[in-house]
Amino acid sequence: MGAHLQPLALRLLALTFPLVAKAFPDETLEKASKSEGYCSRILRAQGTRREGYNEFSLRVEGDPEFYKPGNSYRVTLSAATPAYFRGFTLIALKEGKEGDKEEDHAGSFQIIDEEETQFMSNCPVAVTESTPRRRTRIQVFWTAPPAGTGCVILKASIVQKRIIYFQDEGSLTKKICEQDSASEGVTDKPILDCCACGTAKYRLTFYGNWSEKTHPKDFPRRTNHWSAIIGSSHSKNYILWEYGGYASEGVKQVAELGSPVKMEEEIRQQSDEVLTVIKAKAQWPAWQPLNVRAAPSAEFSVDRHRHLMSFLTMLGPSPDWNVGLSAEDLCTKDCGWVQKVVQDLIPWDAGTDSGVTYESPNKPTVPQEKIRPLTSLDHPQSPFYDPEGGSIKLVARVVIERIARKGEQCNIVPDNIDDIVADLAPEEKEEDDTPETCIYSNWSPWSACSSSTCEKGKRMRQRMLKAQLDLSVPCPDTQDFQPCMGPGCSDEDGSTCMMSDWITWSPCSVSCGMGTRSRERYVKQFPEDGSMCKVPTEETEKCIVNEECSPSSCLVTEWGEWDECSASCGTGMKRRHRMIKMTPADGSMCKAETTEAEKCMMPECHTIPCLLSPWSEWSDCSVTCGKGMRTRQRMLKSAAELGDCNEELEQAEKCMLPECPIDCELTEWSQWSECNTSCGKGHMIRTRMIKIEPQFGGAACPETVQRTKCRVRKCLRGAGMEKRRWKEAREKRRSEQAKKNLDSEQYPVCRLKPWTAWTECSTLCGGGIQERYMMVKKRSKSTQFTSCKDKKELRACNVHPC
């Protein structure tokens, strides 16, 4: 690795250690010199700090006093504005251990953002920065050690410019002990009271970063989305969800179906412990540029009793994967309200479905498992799998910013100015480093800035990759980003004031007639050149309430906020309400409207795709042999409020099994033939034909020829026999001639050819059939002669047994 990529903490420690030797006790240096590992050098070094100087802090999400063995916790290292740090180290030790041995370390860290953090090369159990630059916060996951480890000390060191700060007590050290088995079912959240006064109003903004570009493996192109956001501000007596806990039915329905209905029902049942229900619409598709679609947001309030905030949203489609915050405390130890919270999010598993891919079929987890963060080693088929166990790329970021305070505030410590330290801009390149083998289009114009205020934002431009001539040479990105601010703001102008967004309008100053209302904003950063801010922080406008101020008019409140649109897609209606504060003084009926409605437009219905389960296996064929049909089904997983789904839920197709047996089929028996002798004993036969031969194991054909005895008059002997035979032959010829004459009379114009010769016998023995034909020679043209047809005769042959 090049010197410019080595951890800054490692390089600066080597530079700084001699410089601060005088500040360290001799005993400390002696121990440090004897230590062989870099871990030990960091842990043994001591730095003097100004008492009460706490611009850097180390925090475990939820501030737990105890850990559950094997559970994962989010650890954040941050600097309060205007402080920042360039490098850092983070390590976890068993209480009372020096860190010289591998067994002195407790638990394990998991990288969340590889661009920010990495494991130290000389101390693999510790985490440090990936690149040296100005930063104000980093986050990692820490997995607690197995049972019996005891208390653990999380320690951090900070590198700022060329100064290294170490701290064994205070804000850079966190002690967390193993939870007693007797209290295993108790939440890790500490039971802390809030001392803040009044109420505070916050805005939650959700920035999804899950797309095919950031997470290409098996990305679901058609149905990717974030479900509707659901959450609440609540007290410490109610927990929506937490790592190491079990998902409620409401959490399960969000996790598996993306439906917030049951979750909202559960929240509203805790009415005494909940101040605001937090809701924001679903996002189809999951990602679009901010200049195309604004990030979803929702406003909520907190007070002294209900000062925690939780929410969740489903990563869809997925088995039961979500992102969210659990019991985020917005009350400060100084009895004030947190100004801003920024959290990067990775997906977590609700423990209710055992699927491993985005579109795995439903596979309920029995028994239900605990909620846990996903890792890159969960399953080889997982879209987040990394055989080297690297970090999961972030899928979202949530920003919670205070927008107003109401009532008397009791904290005497002023709020910190928002974090305004931006990442160092990348150095401008002197030359274009695009390989010659990559052919691009020209860059598009820069998009509008994602920020409309003086807060830091981004703008983007794009180009298309037209051709890649050498596949072995990678081509740079097709998108380019640049920091920016809203109109009228300048990053370089030292006299610029950085302002917050406008807070909502105050109530009208009068309850009847024309009055005024106002709104305000505050200075988030004063000009660097020391000049005064000339930007207005307050503005007023006229307002009208109850236009008629007569004895017959009634007093009403201002209109409330508009309800959500009645349709999730297409055209719907939205309503808003107001209340009657005072009825008319003359006792008449109040004529003022208390409800107002107007049309609202949502995205076109067909733009919201159906979320369907995978197809089931094909059913058995409808028959046991031959041709039949088989079917398969799938289920609609989309929430009902997404509208009708026109996708087919059942399919049918033909199926073919081995052919069914075909039995032999025969014609009817023919008439008996004439006796085969003219006198004495003989026999006559009858036959039948095979219509269908037996196939596929069908019944064989029975006999096709039957023989029976016949008896004619006794045969005569001597000369009289010859005379009788001659007489019979003559009579036969006369009979045939008479028959021909009769045919000629019946069909005077129907002439037939002579009989053809008999065909060969159909069998060699056992009785067969011979055929002969008489074909029509000349047909009558008259339609009255319709029986002039070809003739056919049959006779038995080879009747002797085989």
Side-chain angles (χ1 to χ4, degrees):
M1 183 178 293
H4 67 287
L5 293 179
Q6 293 178 0
L8 185 64
L10 180 62
R11 293 188 284 117
L12 288 185
L13 182 68
L15 296 172
T16 311
F17 200 82
L19 300 177
V20 297
K22 294 182 181 180
F24 299 156
D26 294 339
E27 182 181 355
T28 302
L29 290 178
E30 183 179 353
K31 290 181 181 179
S33 63
K34 292 179 181 179
S35 172
E36 297 180 358
Y38 179 64
C39 294
S40 301
R41 291 179 65 189
I42 291 179
L43 293 168
R44 293 178 184 277
Q46 301 288 328
T48 57
R49 302 293 302 279
R50 206 162 64 232
E51 185 175 352
Y53 197 63
N54 295 321
E55 71 269 47
F56 304 113
S57 65
L58 177 67
R59 183 188 177 222
V60 179
E61 184 180 23
D63 297 322
E65 297 178 2
F66 303 97
Y67 67 83
K68 289 182 181 178
N71 275 15
S72 296
Y73 301 85
R74 189 192 302 270
V75 179
T76 303
L77 180 62
S78 59
T81 307
Y84 64 90
F85 57 95
R86 293 181 179 274
F88 70 94
T89 59
L90 182 60
I91 204 160
L93 290 177
K94 297 177 183 176
E95 187 177 28
K97 299 297 183 180
E98 296 294 331
D100 297 335
K101 304 174 183 177
E102 184 177 350
E103 55 266 26
D104 290 354
H105 302 274
S108 60
F109 290 104
Q110 180 183 340
I111 303 299
I112 294 178
D113 187 353
E114 290 181 339
E115 294 184 359
E116 289 285 346
T117 55
Q118 66 177 0
F119 293 107
M120 297 185 72
S121 57
N122 292 355
C123 182
V125 293
V127 178
T128 188
E129 77 281 351
S130 295
T131 54
R133 62 177 181 80
R134 291 163 60 125
R135 53 174 54 82
T136 58
R137 64 189 290 116
I138 63 95
Q139 291 182 336
V140 294
F141 273 114
W142 175 70
T143 301
T149 303
C151 294
V152 175
I153 308 296
L154 295 169
K155 303 177 67 174
S157 63
I158 291 293
V159 178
Q160 188 186 43
K161 298 181 181 178
R162 298 178 64 88
I163 304 171
I164 302 179
Y165 295 106
F166 302 96
Q167 192 160 330
D168 283 340
E169 295 180 357
S171 60
L172 286 177
T173 299
K174 175 72 177 178
K175 178 179 178 180
I176 181 170
C177 295
E178 183 179 347
Q179 187 178 50
D180 189 354
S181 58
S183 59
E184 196 168 311
V186 180
T187 179
D188 288 340
K189 303 296 180 187
I191 302 176
L192 297 177
D193 291 327
C194 176
C195 57
C197 300
T199 63
K201 188 173 183 180
Y202 287 87
R203 179 183 293 114
L204 175 151
T205 308
F206 182 83
Y207 299 95
N209 191 39
W210 175 54
S211 66
E212 188 173 14
K213 181 179 179 181
T214 58
H215 298 78
K217 183 180 178 183
D218 300 332
F219 187 78
R221 293 185 178 181
R222 279 193 70 243
T223 57
N224 64 90
H225 69 284
W226 293 104
S227 72
I229 292 173
I230 183 68
S232 71
S233 56
H234 57 91
S235 73
K236 60 189 177 185
N237 299 325
Y238 173 51
I239 300 297
L240 275 74
W241 70 273
E242 62 178 337
Y243 288 131
Y246 290 98
S248 67
E249 183 61 28
V251 172
K252 178 183 177 181
Q253 289 196 16
V254 174
E256 294 186 8
L257 305 176
S259 172
V261 177
K262 182 65 177 177
M263 186 78 252
E264 184 175 354
E265 180 182 325
E266 290 180 359
I267 292 172
R268 295 191 183 278
Q269 288 174 354
Q270 300 287 333
S271 57
D272 292 341
E273 309 300 333
V274 171
L275 183 59
T276 309
V277 178
I278 300 171
K279 297 193 293 184
K281 291 187 178 296
Q283 299 291 293
W284 295 82
W287 182 87
Q288 283 187 326
L290 291 175
N291 62 338
V292 175
R293 182 184 68 195
S297 64
E299 296 182 0
F300 64 95
S301 298
V302 291
D303 60 16
R304 177 180 290 191
H305 176 58
R306 293 154 294 192
H307 54 93
L308 305 177
M309 173 268 174
S310 302
F311 84 94
L312 68 159
T313 176
M314 179 192 77
L315 179 93
S318 69
D320 60 344
W321 300 341
N322 305 265
V323 298
L325 289 182
S326 174
E328 184 70 26
D329 195 350
L330 300 176
C331 182
T332 68
K333 296 178 181 179
D334 300 318
C335 302
W337 297 110
V338 172
Q339 179 68 41
K340 189 175 186 179
V341 175
V342 179
Q343 288 279 22
D344 292 319
L345 306 175
I346 66 169
W348 49 268
D349 190 306
T352 62
D353 192 293
S354 300
V356 295
T357 65
Y358 289 125
E359 299 182 282
S360 292
N362 292 333
K363 187 179 180 182
T365 303
V366 180
Q368 184 174 332
E369 295 178 353
K370 295 179 179 180
I371 295 173
R372 64 171 183 85
L374 294 178
T375 71
S376 59
L377 294 175
D378 284 339
H379 194 280
Q381 294 181 5
S382 168
F384 305 106
Y385 181 72
D386 180 358
E388 299 181 359
S391 63
I392 289 182
K393 288 185 179 180
L394 303 174
V395 296
R397 169 175 288 182
V398 63
V399 177
I400 303 169
E401 187 170 12
R402 195 185 73 210
I403 57 176
R405 288 178 295 183
K406 296 182 180 179
E408 183 179 354
Q409 303 296 312
C410 53
N411 62 314
I412 58 174
V413 179
D415 294 322
N416 291 327
I417 302 174
D418 271 350
D419 176 17
I420 57 171
V421 180
D423 292 347
L424 294 177
E427 296 180 3
E428 293 186 3
K429 299 176 181 178
E430 296 179 0
E431 298 180 0
D432 184 7
D433 60 354
T434 303
E436 294 181 357
T437 56
C438 300
I439 310 301
Y440 288 95
S441 67
N442 294 327
W443 284 107
S444 68
W446 286 104
S447 68
C449 189
S450 62
S451 172
S452 59
T453 66
C454 291
E455 291 188 356
K456 295 286 185 180
K458 287 183 178 180
R459 61 177 184 169
M460 180 188 72
R461 62 177 181 173
Q462 294 177 307
R463 59 180 176 178
M464 293 180 60
L465 179 61
K466 292 184 174 181
Q468 187 174 357
L469 305 181
D470 186 350
L471 296 179
S472 64
V473 179
C475 292
D477 291 337
T478 58
Q479 292 183 326
D480 187 20
F481 295 90
Q482 189 180 74
C484 60
M485 287 191 283
C489 304
S490 171
D491 197 16
E492 301 176 356
D493 186 0
S495 63
T496 299
C497 296
M498 188 172 289
M499 307 297 295
S500 70
D501 290 336
W502 287 105
I503 298 171
T504 54
W505 288 101
S506 67
C508 196
S509 60
V510 297
S511 58
C512 180
M514 181 177 291
T516 59
R517 63 177 185 172
S518 62
R519 64 177 182 176
E520 59 182 17
R521 57 182 176 179
Y522 56 90
V523 179
K524 296 177 69 174
Q525 181 189 2
F526 287 93
E528 296 180 359
D529 59 6
S531 60
M532 295 296 292
C533 274
K534 299 178 181 179
V535 181
T537 58
E538 184 175 356
E539 66 178 10
T540 61
E541 70 174 15
K542 294 180 180 180
C543 54
I544 299 176
V545 182
N546 302 303
E547 296 185 23
E548 295 183 8
C549 298
S550 64
S552 61
S553 63
C554 52
L555 299 184
V556 294
T557 62
E558 289 190 79
W559 288 108
E561 298 292 334
W562 286 102
D563 294 339
E564 290 188 6
C565 191
S566 62
S568 57
C569 61
T571 304
M573 297 295 293
K574 63 179 181 179
R575 291 176 172 79
R576 63 178 181 175
H577 309 275
R578 60 182 176 181
M579 299 175 62
I580 298 175
K581 295 174 65 176
M582 184 181 298
T583 57
D586 59 5
S588 60
M589 294 293 293
C590 184
K591 299 178 182 179
E593 296 290 340
T594 57
T595 301
E596 188 176 47
E598 68 176 27
K599 290 183 179 181
C600 51
M601 291 294 296
M602 302 300 289
E604 293 183 21
C605 294
H606 64 79
T607 63
I608 302 178
C610 304
L611 182 57
L612 300 167
S613 69
W615 285 107
S616 66
E617 298 295 330
W618 285 104
S619 67
D620 293 335
C621 198
S622 60
V623 297
T624 57
C625 62
K627 296 179 180 180
M629 299 295 292
R630 64 177 185 172
T631 61
R632 65 176 182 174
Q633 297 82 28
R634 59 182 175 180
M635 296 175 59
L636 179 64
K637 294 179 68 175
S638 304
E641 57 264 24
L642 292 183
D644 295 333
C645 181
N646 297 323
E647 296 287 340
E648 60 178 344
L649 300 179
E650 184 171 0
Q651 286 183 343
E653 70 174 12
K654 295 179 180 179
C655 51
M656 186 72 181
L657 293 178
E659 293 285 354
C660 298
I662 300 176
D663 297 336
C664 177
E665 287 190 19
L666 301 156
T667 63
E668 297 295 326
W669 286 107
S670 66
Q671 298 294 324
W672 288 104
S673 67
E674 294 180 356
C675 196
N676 66 338
T677 62
S678 58
C679 62
K681 294 181 180 179
H683 66 268
M684 54 185 181
I685 64 171
R686 66 175 182 176
T687 61
R688 55 182 175 182
M689 303 289 292
I690 296 174
K691 293 170 63 178
I692 299 177
E693 295 282 352
Q695 299 181 62
F696 313 114
C701 292
E703 61 181 344
T704 58
V705 177
Q706 284 185 345
R707 179 183 344 206
T708 187
K709 294 178 180 179
C710 61
R711 188 179 184 87
V712 190
R713 67 184 181 280
K714 291 182 180 181
C715 295
L716 300 177
R717 300 181 181 278
M721 175 68 71
E722 293 298 326
K723 185 177 181 179
R724 185 175 184 84
R725 288 179 178 173
W726 176 84
K727 186 177 181 179
E728 288 178 352
R730 186 182 63 183
E731 291 177 353
K732 186 176 182 180
R733 286 195 298 272
R734 288 177 178 176
S735 176
E736 289 178 354
Q737 184 62 41
K739 186 176 180 181
K740 289 182 179 179
N741 294 336
L742 180 63
D743 287 343
S744 177
E745 293 175 3
Q746 290 179 345
Y747 312 112
V749 289
C750 182
R751 296 181 183 179
L752 299 173
K753 294 180 181 179
W755 287 102
T756 63
W758 290 100
T759 62
E760 292 186 5
C761 192
S762 61
T763 59
L764 298 176
C765 59
I769 297 294
Q770 285 181 299
E771 300 175 344
R772 70 173 182 174
Y773 304 93
M774 179 181 286
M775 310 299 291
V776 175
K777 185 176 183 181
K778 182 178 181 182
R779 260 180 238 278
S780 171
K781 297 182 180 179
S782 174
T783 57
Q784 60 180 331
F785 300 105
T786 58
S787 57
C788 186
K789 299 179 181 178
D790 296 337
K791 297 182 180 181
K792 176 181 177 182
E793 284 187 347
L794 300 176
R795 75 178 181 181
C797 59
N798 295 338
V799 295
H800 57 277
C802 295

